[in-house]
DNA sequence: TTGTAGGCGTTATCAC
DNA sequence: GTGATAACGCCTACAA
């Protein structure tokens, strides 16, 4: 420990501990490592451990990694940390990894294929032991790249058809089916859908859930009442709903593929002079923070974000300890959170229903002629 | 590179590059390192670089760290990543660090002194080159601990009186003063304050800004119209506003020390049957995501979160390259974002003003007798 | 059960 | 300019 005038300079090394305990560094190493402690006599092991504690010995992870070729570091790729979806997932991952002595290196890809490749390479250079990928693009060149390097991979919110990677996802399909069942239960018969991008597994799964939910409720899907957003954004929600309105909104409820789209739906309805939920019910997906503070508070599907993170980390840790364990594909059940944006459809009585729809049409026309923003 | 049947196995090392270029590993090392490249003849350097590129050589950071005792890693301590305040800051830090070949290790302390110490020790064990601390507690044992280890420190949103650490903060004082000026400009004369915890520098600075703003506008501070929250939470905002109401809300505007508190103010006003902004204007601080989607959209002070992160990383990088650079204390100017929650006080005309206040009092009594939640 | 020796991949410090 | 050599701190055959 390079003792200088009784003061500890720099870091305490294994040699210092060994010296203090009066043993050879190799013995100290064995005593300190739980895996090999059995090889050393109980008494000596105790002496070494005491010495280590008294010197506040911390093994140097670089030296250890250099030898063992494991960095105790896991790379985590996400699109963007400032998207409120990800912080809870990241925290879940970090907490679970930390408990096992690992740390996460988080990289933001901004949904950019090239940036993702760059981040991935950087992390490979840092010798991460594995990758947790929460990026949703279906193109698989990245996965190939990592898989070829024989680095363990865990997918988050993304399932590859061949099921060769362990993954943790929320059950998007089941969640959206629940949403439709909820609306059908309220009495809605004509339900529109602002679907997400179909090249993202979330968008795809939720759309499938919509179709299945409609079928299960014995309802027909009107093709003119389904619009596909090109991204999960307010702007796209607004655009899609305008399209719905332009096609003649025959629906009394709109299922949005996520909360951001739902915000756009709100905006479009407001613009068209339609009230939510009195005229149209709206449902989102994700239960984002503060979504309960909107007017009206948005009915949404809660996503166990944090648990998705801890489970993903858990799968990674399993993969890192026994490489042979079978591939697990885990789905976490979502939960429907009913708030003020859904209620029974307007005017169940025939006469009032007719009036209601008449009113809707009139407003629609106004909406169509309003300038696009 | 352990060439086996023409296929690259495992990792390419410096030796492989040297061999390929026909030079000694030491020379290859010098050629590859920009700092020492000048020591090598141009032609040889070129040969080495070509060899490295053709083999796709990636230096092993562990081996390098072991030798240089620098991990190119910076520890970042934050209270909680799921607090929407932090993701943009963290991203700013990560982006700026990444551009310089560093990575951030993020640790969540949950505002817990012990956890913070634990995280800090773990990071020290991983040999981080520096700490960026975005934890706001005023107690300084942690700083001492890190400073004693002679590890560079940069503070975020926190200034130590002695100014011994570089820091980046938003100018809380100026921001709140701006808020008061805005309200005074609208005609408000009696302004209440839901202040933050005074042991946090944010809470302290904003309260000072409130006092200065009032003084600057020539307004008096009514002590009964200032309540101190014990934490930056909706619940505390609610509690404090109830206290304000119980004391007889003489004010026509409430300045909350952050947006979470402002949400609590909204709730309390609603509970008391008071309308915002018709009866009472409300201002928050931070401009959190989606705060513009509230009813009414909250007037708030925008905090250049991302830039705080990049600047903090910048200060750290400067510190890491020239240890001797002078300590910089940086304040970033906030921006007032005026939305629907502020408007001129009700009833400028004498008669209507009296009616208005009468109404307020009646509602207040109802509020006081309502059960606490 | 413990000690010895060599090496993980890199860089710093010598020589040449 | 370049090559040789010795670390950095730890782990692990192998020998004793």
């Amino acid at each position: 420990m390079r003792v200088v005038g009784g003061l500890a300079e720099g870091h305490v090394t294994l040699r210092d501990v060994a010296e203090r305990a009066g043993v050879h560094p190799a013995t100290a190493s064995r005593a300190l490592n739980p895996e090999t402690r059995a090889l050393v006599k109980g008494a000596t092991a105790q002496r070494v451990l005491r010495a280590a504690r008294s010197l506040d010995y911390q093994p140097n992870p670089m030296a250890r990694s250099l030898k063992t070729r494991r960095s105790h570091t896991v790379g985590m790729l996400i699109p963007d940390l400032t998207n409120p979806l990800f912080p809870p997932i990241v925290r879940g991952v970090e907490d679970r990894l930390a408990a096992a002595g690992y740390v996460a290196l988080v990289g933001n890809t901004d949904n950019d294929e090239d940036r993702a490749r760059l981040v991935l390479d950087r992390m490979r250079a840092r010798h991460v032991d594995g990758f947790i990928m929460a990026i949703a693009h279906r193109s698989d060149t990245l996965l190939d790249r990592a898989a070829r390097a024989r680095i363990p991979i865990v997918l988050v919110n993304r399932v590859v058809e061949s099921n060769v990677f362990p993954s943790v996802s929320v059950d998007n399909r089941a969640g959206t089916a629940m949403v439709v069942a909820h609306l059908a239960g309220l009495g809605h018969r004509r339900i529109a859908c602002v679907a997400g991008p179909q090249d993202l597994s979330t968008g795809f799964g939720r759309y499938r859930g919509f179709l299945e939910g409609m079928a299960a409720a014995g309802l027909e899907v009107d093709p003119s009442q389904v619009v596909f957003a090109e991204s999960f954004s307010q702007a796209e929600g607004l655009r899609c709903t305008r399209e719905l309105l332009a096609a003649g909104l025959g629906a009394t409820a709109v299922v949005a593929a996520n909360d951001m789209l739902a915000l756009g739906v709100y905006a479009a309805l407001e613009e068209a002079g339609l009230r939510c939920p009195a005229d149209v019910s709206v449902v989102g997906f994700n239960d984002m923070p503060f979504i309960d503070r909107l007017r009206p508070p948005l009915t949404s599907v809660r996503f166990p974000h944090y648990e998705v993170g801890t489970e993903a980390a858990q799968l990674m840790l399993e993969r890192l300890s026994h490489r042979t364990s079978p591939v697990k594909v885990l789905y976490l059940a979502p939960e429907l959170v009913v708030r003020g944006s859904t209620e029974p459809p307007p005017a169940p009585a025939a006469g009032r229903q007719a009036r209601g729809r008449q009113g809707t049409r009139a407003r629609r026309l106004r909406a169509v002629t309003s300038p696009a923003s």
Side-chain angles (χ1 to χ4, degrees), chain A:
Chain A
M1 135 164 105
R2 326 286 169 283
V3 173
V4 179
L7 210 90
E9 284 281 313
H11 287 259
V12 180
T13 81
L14 187 60
R15 298 171 64 110
D16 301 317
V17 177
E19 212 166 302
R20 173 78 94 106
V23 298
H24 191 274
T27 311
S29 170
R30 284 188 274 258
L32 257 11
N33 190 329
E35 313 254 320
T36 51
R37 188 167 305 152
L39 299 175
V40 76
K41 200 165 62 182
T44 359
Q46 286 312 311
R47 232 167 351 118
V48 172
L49 288 175
R50 255 202 309 279
R53 215 164 317 131
S54 81
L55 292 174
D56 190 25
Y57 167 70
Q58 306 269 33
N60 182 324
M62 275 99 200
R64 197 212 279 293
S65 297
L66 191 56
K67 189 72 195 168
T68 63
R69 315 183 127 273
R70 311 191 72 200
S71 63
H72 287 258
T73 282
V74 171
M76 176 165 198
L77 265 49
I78 61 175
D80 178 16
L81 189 60
T82 61
N83 178 333
L85 198 64
F86 294 106
I89 301 180
V90 171
R91 257 222 83 170
V93 167
E94 286 177 346
D95 287 356
R96 186 69 193 77
L97 286 183
Y102 279 76
V103 299
L105 254 38
V106 177
N108 301 84
T109 70
D110 289 321
N111 280 321
D112 179 317
E113 198 68 28
D114 290 337
R115 243 183 90 79
R117 198 170 11 250
L118 196 84
V119 172
L120 191 117
D121 284 344
R122 266 209 226 294
M123 288 183 172
R124 282 224 293 150
R126 282 198 174 249
H127 286 219
V128 296
D129 295 336
F131 283 108
I132 295 180
M133 307 236 206
I135 49 182
H137 273 286
R138 287 241 217 125
S139 107
D140 284 334
T141 60
L142 269 189
L143 291 184
D144 289 351
R145 204 183 182 77
R148 252 205 315 274
R150 319 187 118 262
I151 301 180
I153 295 178
V154 169
L155 266 26
V156 170
N157 266 344
R158 157 113 197 266
V159 178
V160 167
E161 274 127 46
S162 49
N163 267 358
V164 286
F165 298 109
S167 64
V168 182
S169 323
V170 79
D171 194 337
N172 288 297
R173 206 190 39 65
T176 316
M178 269 166 55
V179 165
V180 176
H182 163 64
L183 292 171
L186 287 174
H188 293 272
R189 313 288 307 158
R190 287 172 308 163
I191 302 177
C193 181
V194 174
Q198 296 300 294
D199 58 337
L200 301 185
S201 63
T202 46
F204 185 68
R206 288 171 201 172
Y207 179 53
R208 276 211 347 207
F210 174 74
L211 297 180
E212 290 179 19
M214 291 294 275
L219 299 178
E220 264 181 48
V221 176
D222 175 352
S224 83
Q225 295 297 292
V226 175
V227 188
F228 294 93
E230 282 168 13
S231 68
F232 283 118
S233 64
Q234 286 191 45
E236 276 294 288
L238 180 61
R239 181 186 67 76
C240 291
T241 312
R242 282 189 182 139
E243 245 178 63
L244 241 35
L245 291 163
L249 179 61
T252 56
V254 178
V255 174
N258 92 348
D259 292 342
M260 296 299 284
L261 291 174
L263 287 177
V265 176
Y266 271 19
L269 293 179
E270 195 167 331
E271 173 180 284
L274 291 166
R275 292 159 305 156
C276 170
D279 297 319
V280 182
S281 288
V282 176
V283 188
F285 203 103
N286 275 351
D287 193 35
M288 290 197 319
F290 306 112
I291 210 75
D292 56 325
R293 310 290 315 176
L294 300 184
R295 286 299 162 79
L298 185 67
T299 293
S300 188
V301 175
R302 181 173 298 158
F303 192 124
H305 313 265
Y306 183 82
E307 286 72 18
V308 165
T310 56
E311 293 294 343
Q314 182 60 35
L315 289 188
M316 175 55 74
L317 291 170
E318 287 175 13
R319 204 106 197 113
L320 290 174
S321 44
H322 342 283
R323 294 230 163 190
T324 59
S325 67
V327 171
K328 293 187 190 168
V329 173
L330 192 59
Y331 285 95
L332 300 189
E335 179 190 356
L336 181 68
V337 184
V338 176
R339 301 204 180 88
S341 69
T342 47
E343 63 178 36
R352 291 176 64 195
Q353 187 168 28
R355 271 218 311 284
R357 262 194 274 141
Q358 203 73 0
T360 298
R361 288 233 174 80
R363 289 198 198 89
R364 171 179 68 74
L365 287 172
R366 267 201 301 150
V368 169
T369 55
S370 80
S373 82

